[in-house]
Amino acid sequence: MIDREQVLHVARLARLELTDEEVGRISAELSDVLGHIEKIGELDLDDVPPTTHVVEVSNALRPDIVEPSLPREVALANAPAVAASGFLVPSPQADAEPS
Amino acid sequence: MSATDVTLLTAAAAVDAIERGELSAGELFEAYRAAAAGDELNAYLWVAQDAPAPVREGAPLAGVPLAVKDLFCTQGVPSQAGSRILEGYRPPYTASVVAELAAAGAPLLGKTNQDEFAMGSSNENSAFGPVLNPWDRTRVPGGSSGGSAAAVAAGSAPWALGTDTGGSIRQPAALCGIVGLKPTYGTVSRYGMIAFASSLDQAGPLTRDVTDAALLLRHMVARDERDSTSIGFPGEIALPASESLEGIRLGVPEELSDEGVGIERGILDAFNATLRLAEQLGATIETCHLPHAPHALSAYYVLAPAEASSNLARYDGVRYGARVEDGGLVGMYTRTRSEGFGREVKRRIMLGTYSLSSGYYDAYYGRAQRVRTKIADDFRAAFESFDFVVTPTSPSVAFELGAKTSDPLAMYLNDYCTVPMSLAGIPAISIPNGLSDGLPTGFQLCGPAFSENRVLEAAYALEQAIGFDELARRARA
Amino acid sequence: MTEFEPVIGLEIHVQLSTRTKMFCGCALSFGEPPNTLTCPVCLGLPGTLPRANAQAIHFGLMIGLALGSDLAPRSIFHRKNYFYPDLPKGYQISQYDEPLCRGGQLGEVRIHRVHLEEDAAKLVHAGSSGRIHGSDASVVDFNRGGTPLAEIVTEPDLRSAAQAREWLTLLRTTLRRLGVSDVNMEEGSLRCDANISIRPVGVTELGTKTELKNMNSFRFLERGINAEIARQEALLRCGGQVVQQTLHFDPQTERITSLRSKEEAHDYRYFPEPDLVPVATSEQMLEAARSAMPELPAAREERLQSLGVSAASARQLAWRTELGDYFEAALAADGAEPQPLANWICNELVARVGEDDPNASKVTPDALAKLVALVRQKAVTIGNAKLVLDRLVADGGDPAAIVEAEGLGVMAGGDDALDPIVEAALAANADAAEKIRGGNMKAIGAIIGHVMRETKGRADGAEVTRIVRQKLGL
Ligand SMILES: [Mg+2]
Ligand SMILES: [Zn+2]
């Protein structure tokens, strides 16, 4: 129902790396769970509206008023790598180049 | 009073004792601090070192300390959601509800263990090791608020905060023999709660009795400007007093109270015994129907993982938390996440990503949202004829550690009786309901949105009739 | 040979001029030091929740009204999921299938939709000087992250790069007039992507389109689109096929490169944002947006034309808001005929102040109106009036006073001084006088030139002509 190829595709979307063993296990587990879940396919739900929020509120808008920002050292305090007052990351451009 | 004596008081009794001058808040805090520091159940991930600043004069909770599930952000204090990926993370701000409670006079005692990102029903998914059930240390405390439940049951916390997405307060409360309440979605702010599934997550109290649940909840419900989905509570949460169920109509949904759906015999016996007690208190009991309830678990295991897959995308090794370098950016992302997340979290991220991905949305996510509508409709219809719907809380008593870890589907079935209320966003409470094979069972009672006061009142009447409190106290001793 | 017709649609991202970000209270950034305008919400810290900015919704509704869109009574936000270091939550909060505004039209171009979303942070390439040895690194600055954006998507109604550029100018003026954005392409507060395809003339179905990004000025927009049209045409002419893809225009080299990376195609996994509730556009919100609406360029253009301003001048005055405002102020000061005033502003004044706002020049609208009045009253010749304008641009002042002080007043008809000068001019240009007598009025230029030189431009050309005809007995 969900094969190795699909598992690998979904893992790439989710930025997860799976070992060969994990791919096999997860495809079996997900197939199992999805088999159970697919029972909802038997229900007639054509005219039923979807629920996105159980509470019936709307707007809850914020007035456009400036609130204090964090001092930079606090913003950066938990960062694994910092440089030039910013969050340091490997360049996305390196990945984008054809390999 | 001796140190052990003071920890035997319920939170409400401790508040009274402090207000009468028979007990000092500092003495109470120290007694609990020592108990929490000496915890042998792995219920705590962090315990306060120092006494808190004295609470303000007249603060309604008088300084009775509070244990808080790890996933609530607490400024400068580790808040890791039970995950390796947030190991050592200290947020620069405090969750609204924790700040509200501290202002009301309930200072932070410690952070409690939990299933990683609240994903689990046994607390075995914590990156920091499982929590043990105080009734039997070879068994699980339930989850995901297992640390909070175990701490309250073992007497190392007077009360605790948990969160409930599909049963994560009620199920561990049942397995540990305490009270756990999931309020109406939107009554308690989610700001500062590390998200699992945003449309379902709701904070609630885990307490020794119903009165304590009411007292804690009173200071939790509030509309919070920082949470768009927060609506607050109309009026105030009252302390329950009635011992009668005169004129109350209890509906027992066939779909959630039958041996055929996998509920243990002993659990059903205890449940049915309490129904007879309820009748003696004046309630009428009838079968009711929630025709879509059997599909609740399926809908839940689409919606919750889908939201989780998105909520957990922020753990990417850039701004906080763990990071594993791998040369490039994509490599850094995948290694950070693959090594930072545990097995169950990865499983649910995969499940959620799959059901949202191109070509599958309508079949899974879209349908699950429609099932959710039907389930809410079922409850609405039931509440036209009944004041409350009642079920067993958990299909089983606390199981052995490791018994279900290799079978996700079996683990997911723990939420069978609690998930429908979560999908409908309605309040539900689990109260201790006697023992089965020497282990606690739970009785669940739910009502329409915002019926917390009536739910607490009815639960209180049942609690008095069941008389479990003494038993629980002996278990702790 | 087959003739091809380009089909172009634009996707425009406009940074809104709110005080604070889309979903948190941080102030918008104007070049502050990196990471000084962030908070737990816009850093995507665990447990934080977004709250939508009411002013951004208000601006969104104003844009919808300006474009004649249908304003949705209910709109919702979705999550657009993808990983990138400038996206702190791993998803962008954006509107998807229930946007704030749908449909509409501006000029000749139909609007598909307008929706609100949050901007990404700024990613600065740091080269290989980073901490990680031997690999390239980037640094993320979250100051810009969360800035409110309105995304305006047009229907594919444009047929050339020049038309796209002209239309975008109209859109920019409209948005500037609304006061909802700085709309500065160079500074990134107005960003435009183009969807481009070509098809043989006469064919109605659309060809395969490409998406061209990063055209960060009006000039580059036109150049980029033309380059892509040429690329597609060359491809089709030699039997190739256009591949649907995202392209990047390099303004330096004018080269177009594919942005396709080695990662998989995007699958954004949109779903309704559970942390936000729907936006229900109330009558009160609509009323607030309506009453905040200024007159828009298209309406102003029409009104100016109805005042008697020529089509070309009306467009120029309406599309450059500051010119239009200057014109209206001058018109109010003098109240005379609008067209000569418009000419003086659109031609003479613009030639002197260029792209600058004339309201900031030393020529007050009042002074210009007075100058045009002097010309109309024939108190000064057009030539000398231009000299007066030069003086006004340089030093300011009152035109009448300048005319007086510099002796630039016209030598009007009946002025005894003019007759002898004309006489002398005829004598000095006997050839020309002969030709005029023979019926060739074009030759009068030489006579007038002579008189003007002698009078330092103060003579009225019409008056000179009258005297010449009189002297020659015509
Ligand atoms: Mg966009
Ligand atoms: Zn912010």
Side-chain angles (χ1 to χ4, degrees), chain C residues 99-129:
Chain C
L100 193 64
C101 318
R102 269 181 213 277
Q105 179 139 5
L106 179 70
E108 63 272 42
V109 175
R110 289 168 303 148
I111 303 297
H112 178 60
R113 57 184 278 157
V114 182
H115 72 252
L116 299 176
E117 60 187 30
E118 54 180 342
D119 206 349
K122 200 164 83 185
L123 197 60
V124 184
H125 192 63
S128 47
S129 59

PDB file of all heavy atoms in Angstrom, chain C residues 99-129:
ATOM      1  N   PRO C  99      -8.558  33.274  -0.601  1.00  0.00           N
ATOM      2  CA  PRO C  99      -7.818  34.527  -0.413  1.00  0.00           C
ATOM      3  C   PRO C  99      -8.738  35.699  -0.049  1.00  0.00           C
ATOM      4  O   PRO C  99      -9.954  35.590  -0.171  1.00  0.00           O
ATOM      5  CB  PRO C  99      -7.187  34.761  -1.791  1.00  0.00           C
ATOM      6  CG  PRO C  99      -8.139  34.134  -2.744  1.00  0.00           C
ATOM      7  CD  PRO C  99      -8.746  32.945  -2.026  1.00  0.00           C
ATOM      8  N   LEU C 100      -8.127  36.801   0.345  1.00  0.00           N
ATOM      9  CA  LEU C 100      -8.879  37.989   0.753  1.00  0.00           C
ATOM     10  C   LEU C 100      -9.630  38.620  -0.430  1.00  0.00           C
ATOM     11  O   LEU C 100     -10.753  39.076  -0.274  1.00  0.00           O
ATOM     12  CB  LEU C 100      -7.907  39.015   1.366  1.00  0.00           C
ATOM     13  CG  LEU C 100      -8.513  40.184   2.116  1.00  0.00           C
ATOM     14  CD1 LEU C 100      -9.267  39.719   3.357  1.00  0.00           C
ATOM     15  CD2 LEU C 100      -7.429  41.184   2.511  1.00  0.00           C
ATOM     16  N   CYS C 101      -8.996  38.664  -1.605  1.00  0.00           N
ATOM     17  CA  CYS C 101      -9.619  39.309  -2.773  1.00  0.00           C
ATOM     18  C   CYS C 101      -9.483  38.402  -3.993  1.00  0.00           C
ATOM     19  O   CYS C 101      -8.449  37.783  -4.199  1.00  0.00           O
ATOM     20  CB  CYS C 101      -8.923  40.630  -3.117  1.00  0.00           C
ATOM     21  SG  CYS C 101      -8.509  41.662  -1.714  1.00  0.00           S
ATOM     22  N   ARG C 102     -10.530  38.405  -4.801  1.00  0.00           N
ATOM     23  CA  ARG C 102     -10.510  37.646  -6.046  1.00  0.00           C
ATOM     24  C   ARG C 102     -10.965  38.527  -7.195  1.00  0.00           C
ATOM     25  O   ARG C 102     -11.856  39.339  -7.028  1.00  0.00           O
ATOM     26  CB  ARG C 102     -11.540  36.519  -5.968  1.00  0.00           C
ATOM     27  CG  ARG C 102     -11.049  35.223  -5.443  1.00  0.00           C
ATOM     28  CD  ARG C 102     -12.253  34.269  -5.486  1.00  0.00           C
ATOM     29  NE  ARG C 102     -12.215  33.316  -4.401  1.00  0.00           N
ATOM     30  CZ  ARG C 102     -11.495  32.201  -4.448  1.00  0.00           C
ATOM     31  NH1 ARG C 102     -10.794  31.918  -5.515  1.00  0.00           N
ATOM     32  NH2 ARG C 102     -11.493  31.368  -3.436  1.00  0.00           N
ATOM     33  N   GLY C 103     -10.391  38.317  -8.378  1.00  0.00           N
ATOM     34  CA  GLY C 103     -10.845  39.021  -9.573  1.00  0.00           C
ATOM     35  C   GLY C 103     -10.479  40.498  -9.535  1.00  0.00           C
ATOM     36  O   GLY C 103      -9.754  40.948  -8.658  1.00  0.00           O
ATOM     37  N   GLY C 104     -10.996  41.227 -10.512  1.00  0.00           N
ATOM     38  CA  GLY C 104     -10.729  42.651 -10.579  1.00  0.00           C
ATOM     39  C   GLY C 104     -10.004  43.011 -11.866  1.00  0.00           C
ATOM     40  O   GLY C 104      -9.714  42.140 -12.697  1.00  0.00           O
ATOM     41  N   GLN C 105      -9.706  44.264 -12.000  1.00  0.00           N
ATOM     42  CA  GLN C 105      -9.058  44.751 -13.219  1.00  0.00           C
ATOM     43  C   GLN C 105      -8.372  46.067 -12.933  1.00  0.00           C
ATOM     44  O   GLN C 105      -8.877  46.895 -12.182  1.00  0.00           O
ATOM     45  CB  GLN C 105     -10.129  44.943 -14.314  1.00  0.00           C
ATOM     46  CG  GLN C 105      -9.566  45.477 -15.625  1.00  0.00           C
ATOM     47  CD  GLN C 105     -10.192  44.793 -16.830  1.00  0.00           C
ATOM     48  OE1 GLN C 105     -11.114  43.996 -16.680  1.00  0.00           O
ATOM     49  NE2 GLN C 105      -9.701  45.091 -18.007  1.00  0.00           N
ATOM     50  N   LEU C 106      -7.194  46.245 -13.537  1.00  0.00           N
ATOM     51  CA  LEU C 106      -6.523  47.547 -13.474  1.00  0.00           C
ATOM     52  C   LEU C 106      -6.043  47.852 -14.881  1.00  0.00           C
ATOM     53  O   LEU C 106      -5.289  47.071 -15.461  1.00  0.00           O
ATOM     54  CB  LEU C 106      -5.349  47.508 -12.499  1.00  0.00           C
ATOM     55  CG  LEU C 106      -4.577  48.837 -12.384  1.00  0.00           C
ATOM     56  CD1 LEU C 106      -5.411  49.884 -11.679  1.00  0.00           C
ATOM     57  CD2 LEU C 106      -3.252  48.648 -11.662  1.00  0.00           C
ATOM     58  N   GLY C 107      -6.482  48.973 -15.425  1.00  0.00           N
ATOM     59  CA  GLY C 107      -6.157  49.261 -16.815  1.00  0.00           C
ATOM     60  C   GLY C 107      -6.700  48.146 -17.674  1.00  0.00           C
ATOM     61  O   GLY C 107      -7.838  47.698 -17.487  1.00  0.00           O
ATOM     62  N   GLU C 108      -5.858  47.627 -18.571  1.00  0.00           N
ATOM     63  CA  GLU C 108      -6.346  46.605 -19.492  1.00  0.00           C
ATOM     64  C   GLU C 108      -6.090  45.193 -18.969  1.00  0.00           C
ATOM     65  O   GLU C 108      -6.313  44.218 -19.672  1.00  0.00           O
ATOM     66  CB  GLU C 108      -5.725  46.808 -20.889  1.00  0.00           C
ATOM     67  CG  GLU C 108      -4.227  46.660 -20.940  1.00  0.00           C
ATOM     68  CD  GLU C 108      -3.459  47.946 -20.645  1.00  0.00           C
ATOM     69  OE1 GLU C 108      -3.835  48.695 -19.719  1.00  0.00           O
ATOM     70  OE2 GLU C 108      -2.471  48.202 -21.339  1.00  0.00           O
ATOM     71  N   VAL C 109      -5.582  45.086 -17.729  1.00  0.00           N
ATOM     72  CA  VAL C 109      -5.173  43.775 -17.228  1.00  0.00           C
ATOM     73  C   VAL C 109      -6.125  43.302 -16.130  1.00  0.00           C
ATOM     74  O   VAL C 109      -6.408  44.035 -15.181  1.00  0.00           O
ATOM     75  CB  VAL C 109      -3.729  43.845 -16.686  1.00  0.00           C
ATOM     76  CG1 VAL C 109      -3.324  42.531 -16.055  1.00  0.00           C
ATOM     77  CG2 VAL C 109      -2.777  44.214 -17.822  1.00  0.00           C
ATOM     78  N   ARG C 110      -6.600  42.073 -16.281  1.00  0.00           N
ATOM     79  CA  ARG C 110      -7.474  41.498 -15.262  1.00  0.00           C
ATOM     80  C   ARG C 110      -6.640  40.963 -14.093  1.00  0.00           C
ATOM     81  O   ARG C 110      -5.535  40.474 -14.274  1.00  0.00           O
ATOM     82  CB  ARG C 110      -8.303  40.354 -15.855  1.00  0.00           C
ATOM     83  CG  ARG C 110      -9.394  40.812 -16.831  1.00  0.00           C
ATOM     84  CD  ARG C 110      -9.953  39.629 -17.568  1.00  0.00           C
ATOM     85  NE  ARG C 110      -8.884  38.917 -18.258  1.00  0.00           N
ATOM     86  CZ  ARG C 110      -8.878  37.590 -18.474  1.00  0.00           C
ATOM     87  NH1 ARG C 110      -9.886  36.854 -18.073  1.00  0.00           N
ATOM     88  NH2 ARG C 110      -7.867  37.022 -19.114  1.00  0.00           N
ATOM     89  N   ILE C 111      -7.202  41.089 -12.910  1.00  0.00           N
ATOM     90  CA  ILE C 111      -6.537  40.592 -11.702  1.00  0.00           C
ATOM     91  C   ILE C 111      -7.106  39.216 -11.387  1.00  0.00           C
ATOM     92  O   ILE C 111      -8.328  39.017 -11.438  1.00  0.00           O
ATOM     93  CB  ILE C 111      -6.799  41.542 -10.513  1.00  0.00           C
ATOM     94  CG1 ILE C 111      -6.341  42.967 -10.840  1.00  0.00           C
ATOM     95  CG2 ILE C 111      -6.127  41.018  -9.246  1.00  0.00           C
ATOM     96  CD1 ILE C 111      -4.859  43.124 -11.095  1.00  0.00           C
ATOM     97  N   HIS C 112      -6.230  38.263 -11.085  1.00  0.00           N
ATOM     98  CA  HIS C 112      -6.695  36.927 -10.716  1.00  0.00           C
ATOM     99  C   HIS C 112      -7.062  36.887  -9.227  1.00  0.00           C
ATOM    100  O   HIS C 112      -8.146  36.476  -8.853  1.00  0.00           O
ATOM    101  CB  HIS C 112      -5.609  35.906 -11.040  1.00  0.00           C
ATOM    102  CG  HIS C 112      -5.959  34.507 -10.651  1.00  0.00           C
ATOM    103  ND1 HIS C 112      -7.055  33.852 -11.162  1.00  0.00           N
ATOM    104  CD2 HIS C 112      -5.364  33.648  -9.778  1.00  0.00           C
ATOM    105  CE1 HIS C 112      -7.118  32.640 -10.634  1.00  0.00           C
ATOM    106  NE2 HIS C 112      -6.118  32.500  -9.786  1.00  0.00           N
ATOM    107  N   ARG C 113      -6.132  37.356  -8.399  1.00  0.00           N
ATOM    108  CA  ARG C 113      -6.377  37.329  -6.951  1.00  0.00           C
ATOM    109  C   ARG C 113      -5.382  38.218  -6.229  1.00  0.00           C
ATOM    110  O   ARG C 113      -4.331  38.576  -6.769  1.00  0.00           O
ATOM    111  CB  ARG C 113      -6.239  35.911  -6.401  1.00  0.00           C
ATOM    112  CG  ARG C 113      -4.858  35.318  -6.702  1.00  0.00           C
ATOM    113  CD  ARG C 113      -4.757  33.888  -6.235  1.00  0.00           C
ATOM    114  NE  ARG C 113      -4.470  33.816  -4.818  1.00  0.00           N
ATOM    115  CZ  ARG C 113      -4.743  32.767  -4.056  1.00  0.00           C
ATOM    116  NH1 ARG C 113      -5.340  31.725  -4.576  1.00  0.00           N
ATOM    117  NH2 ARG C 113      -4.425  32.763  -2.791  1.00  0.00           N
ATOM    118  N   VAL C 114      -5.729  38.572  -4.994  1.00  0.00           N
ATOM    119  CA  VAL C 114      -4.796  39.263  -4.102  1.00  0.00           C
ATOM    120  C   VAL C 114      -4.858  38.532  -2.764  1.00  0.00           C
ATOM    121  O   VAL C 114      -5.942  38.299  -2.239  1.00  0.00           O
ATOM    122  CB  VAL C 114      -5.198  40.738  -3.868  1.00  0.00           C
ATOM    123  CG1 VAL C 114      -4.178  41.423  -2.971  1.00  0.00           C
ATOM    124  CG2 VAL C 114      -5.344  41.473  -5.186  1.00  0.00           C
ATOM    125  N   HIS C 115      -3.705  38.125  -2.253  1.00  0.00           N
ATOM    126  CA  HIS C 115      -3.722  37.495  -0.929  1.00  0.00           C
ATOM    127  C   HIS C 115      -2.603  38.019  -0.049  1.00  0.00           C
ATOM    128  O   HIS C 115      -1.671  38.667  -0.523  1.00  0.00           O
ATOM    129  CB  HIS C 115      -3.701  35.971  -1.056  1.00  0.00           C
ATOM    130  CG  HIS C 115      -2.376  35.414  -1.494  1.00  0.00           C
ATOM    131  ND1 HIS C 115      -2.170  34.884  -2.746  1.00  0.00           N
ATOM    132  CD2 HIS C 115      -1.195  35.291  -0.845  1.00  0.00           C
ATOM    133  CE1 HIS C 115      -0.923  34.468  -2.840  1.00  0.00           C
ATOM    134  NE2 HIS C 115      -0.294  34.709  -1.708  1.00  0.00           N
ATOM    135  N   LEU C 116      -2.721  37.744   1.220  1.00  0.00           N
ATOM    136  CA  LEU C 116      -1.745  38.210   2.206  1.00  0.00           C
ATOM    137  C   LEU C 116      -0.851  37.062   2.645  1.00  0.00           C
ATOM    138  O   LEU C 116      -1.277  35.910   2.688  1.00  0.00           O
ATOM    139  CB  LEU C 116      -2.461  38.772   3.439  1.00  0.00           C
ATOM    140  CG  LEU C 116      -3.362  39.978   3.188  1.00  0.00           C
ATOM    141  CD1 LEU C 116      -4.093  40.366   4.465  1.00  0.00           C
ATOM    142  CD2 LEU C 116      -2.547  41.155   2.665  1.00  0.00           C
ATOM    143  N   GLU C 117       0.382  37.375   2.974  1.00  0.00           N
ATOM    144  CA  GLU C 117       1.304  36.367   3.487  1.00  0.00           C
ATOM    145  C   GLU C 117       2.443  37.060   4.219  1.00  0.00           C
ATOM    146  O   GLU C 117       2.495  38.284   4.300  1.00  0.00           O
ATOM    147  CB  GLU C 117       1.832  35.486   2.352  1.00  0.00           C
ATOM    148  CG  GLU C 117       2.576  36.247   1.266  1.00  0.00           C
ATOM    149  CD  GLU C 117       2.941  35.351   0.078  1.00  0.00           C
ATOM    150  OE1 GLU C 117       2.212  34.394  -0.209  1.00  0.00           O
ATOM    151  OE2 GLU C 117       3.974  35.629  -0.549  1.00  0.00           O
ATOM    152  N   GLU C 118       3.353  36.256   4.758  1.00  0.00           N
ATOM    153  CA  GLU C 118       4.506  36.805   5.479  1.00  0.00           C
ATOM    154  C   GLU C 118       5.751  36.660   4.619  1.00  0.00           C
ATOM    155  O   GLU C 118       5.903  35.694   3.884  1.00  0.00           O
ATOM    156  CB  GLU C 118       4.689  36.092   6.824  1.00  0.00           C
ATOM    157  CG  GLU C 118       4.790  34.575   6.682  1.00  0.00           C
ATOM    158  CD  GLU C 118       4.977  33.851   8.014  1.00  0.00           C
ATOM    159  OE1 GLU C 118       5.366  34.503   8.993  1.00  0.00           O
ATOM    160  OE2 GLU C 118       4.746  32.636   8.054  1.00  0.00           O
ATOM    161  N   ASP C 119       6.645  37.640   4.728  1.00  0.00           N
ATOM    162  CA  ASP C 119       7.887  37.609   3.954  1.00  0.00           C
ATOM    163  C   ASP C 119       8.901  36.675   4.623  1.00  0.00           C
ATOM    164  O   ASP C 119       8.804  36.391   5.819  1.00  0.00           O
ATOM    165  CB  ASP C 119       8.475  39.031   3.873  1.00  0.00           C
ATOM    166  CG  ASP C 119       9.348  39.228   2.631  1.00  0.00           C
ATOM    167  OD1 ASP C 119       9.664  38.225   1.967  1.00  0.00           O
ATOM    168  OD2 ASP C 119       9.699  40.386   2.346  1.00  0.00           O
ATOM    169  N   ALA C 120       9.841  36.206   3.843  1.00  0.00           N
ATOM    170  CA  ALA C 120      10.920  35.379   4.380  1.00  0.00           C
ATOM    171  C   ALA C 120      12.006  36.280   4.961  1.00  0.00           C
ATOM    172  O   ALA C 120      12.009  37.492   4.742  1.00  0.00           O
ATOM    173  CB  ALA C 120      11.500  34.510   3.277  1.00  0.00           C
ATOM    174  N   ALA C 121      12.936  35.685   5.692  1.00  0.00           N
ATOM    175  CA  ALA C 121      14.058  36.435   6.246  1.00  0.00           C
ATOM    176  C   ALA C 121      15.102  36.668   5.153  1.00  0.00           C
ATOM    177  O   ALA C 121      14.904  36.291   4.001  1.00  0.00           O
ATOM    178  CB  ALA C 121      14.662  35.677   7.419  1.00  0.00           C
ATOM    179  N   LYS C 122      16.193  37.311   5.531  1.00  0.00           N
ATOM    180  CA  LYS C 122      17.238  37.595   4.547  1.00  0.00           C
ATOM    181  C   LYS C 122      18.400  36.632   4.744  1.00  0.00           C
ATOM    182  O   LYS C 122      18.880  36.448   5.858  1.00  0.00           O
ATOM    183  CB  LYS C 122      17.716  39.042   4.708  1.00  0.00           C
ATOM    184  CG  LYS C 122      18.415  39.578   3.478  1.00  0.00           C
ATOM    185  CD  LYS C 122      18.529  41.081   3.523  1.00  0.00           C
ATOM    186  CE  LYS C 122      19.736  41.504   4.356  1.00  0.00           C
ATOM    187  NZ  LYS C 122      19.855  42.934   4.535  1.00  0.00           N
ATOM    188  N   LEU C 123      18.803  36.033   3.644  1.00  0.00           N
ATOM    189  CA  LEU C 123      19.891  35.073   3.690  1.00  0.00           C
ATOM    190  C   LEU C 123      21.088  35.710   3.001  1.00  0.00           C
ATOM    191  O   LEU C 123      21.006  36.067   1.831  1.00  0.00           O
ATOM    192  CB  LEU C 123      19.446  33.813   2.940  1.00  0.00           C
ATOM    193  CG  LEU C 123      20.212  32.535   3.150  1.00  0.00           C
ATOM    194  CD1 LEU C 123      20.187  32.118   4.614  1.00  0.00           C
ATOM    195  CD2 LEU C 123      19.581  31.433   2.303  1.00  0.00           C
ATOM    196  N   VAL C 124      22.162  35.875   3.740  1.00  0.00           N
ATOM    197  CA  VAL C 124      23.335  36.531   3.168  1.00  0.00           C
ATOM    198  C   VAL C 124      24.429  35.498   2.964  1.00  0.00           C
ATOM    199  O   VAL C 124      24.822  34.801   3.905  1.00  0.00           O
ATOM    200  CB  VAL C 124      23.859  37.640   4.114  1.00  0.00           C
ATOM    201  CG1 VAL C 124      25.018  38.381   3.459  1.00  0.00           C
ATOM    202  CG2 VAL C 124      22.736  38.600   4.463  1.00  0.00           C
ATOM    203  N   HIS C 125      24.875  35.396   1.736  1.00  0.00           N
ATOM    204  CA  HIS C 125      25.929  34.436   1.448  1.00  0.00           C
ATOM    205  C   HIS C 125      27.228  34.923   2.080  1.00  0.00           C
ATOM    206  O   HIS C 125      27.629  36.067   1.882  1.00  0.00           O
ATOM    207  CB  HIS C 125      26.092  34.262  -0.061  1.00  0.00           C
ATOM    208  CG  HIS C 125      26.954  33.105  -0.415  1.00  0.00           C
ATOM    209  ND1 HIS C 125      26.599  31.815  -0.096  1.00  0.00           N
ATOM    210  CD2 HIS C 125      28.148  33.046  -1.030  1.00  0.00           C
ATOM    211  CE1 HIS C 125      27.548  31.002  -0.511  1.00  0.00           C
ATOM    212  NE2 HIS C 125      28.504  31.717  -1.083  1.00  0.00           N
ATOM    213  N   ALA C 126      27.853  34.062   2.880  1.00  0.00           N
ATOM    214  CA  ALA C 126      29.040  34.496   3.620  1.00  0.00           C
ATOM    215  C   ALA C 126      30.314  33.930   3.028  1.00  0.00           C
ATOM    216  O   ALA C 126      31.384  34.050   3.606  1.00  0.00           O
ATOM    217  CB  ALA C 126      28.905  34.081   5.079  1.00  0.00           C
ATOM    218  N   GLY C 127      30.219  33.253   1.886  1.00  0.00           N
ATOM    219  CA  GLY C 127      31.404  32.662   1.271  1.00  0.00           C
ATOM    220  C   GLY C 127      31.925  31.515   2.111  1.00  0.00           C
ATOM    221  O   GLY C 127      31.212  30.961   2.947  1.00  0.00           O
ATOM    222  N   SER C 128      33.192  31.179   1.924  1.00  0.00           N
ATOM    223  CA  SER C 128      33.722  30.028   2.659  1.00  0.00           C
ATOM    224  C   SER C 128      34.462  30.458   3.912  1.00  0.00           C
ATOM    225  O   SER C 128      35.271  29.735   4.453  1.00  0.00           O
ATOM    226  CB  SER C 128      34.621  29.204   1.738  1.00  0.00           C
ATOM    227  OG  SER C 128      35.492  30.086   1.061  1.00  0.00           O
ATOM    228  N   SER C 129      34.158  31.679   4.382  1.00  0.00           N
ATOM    229  CA  SER C 129      34.826  32.167   5.583  1.00  0.00           C
ATOM    230  C   SER C 129      34.133  31.661   6.838  1.00  0.00           C
ATOM    231  O   SER C 129      34.530  31.990   7.945  1.00  0.00           O
ATOM    232  CB  SER C 129      34.817  33.696   5.586  1.00  0.00           C
ATOM    233  OG  SER C 129      33.475  34.142   5.549  1.00  0.00           O
TER     234      SER C 129
END
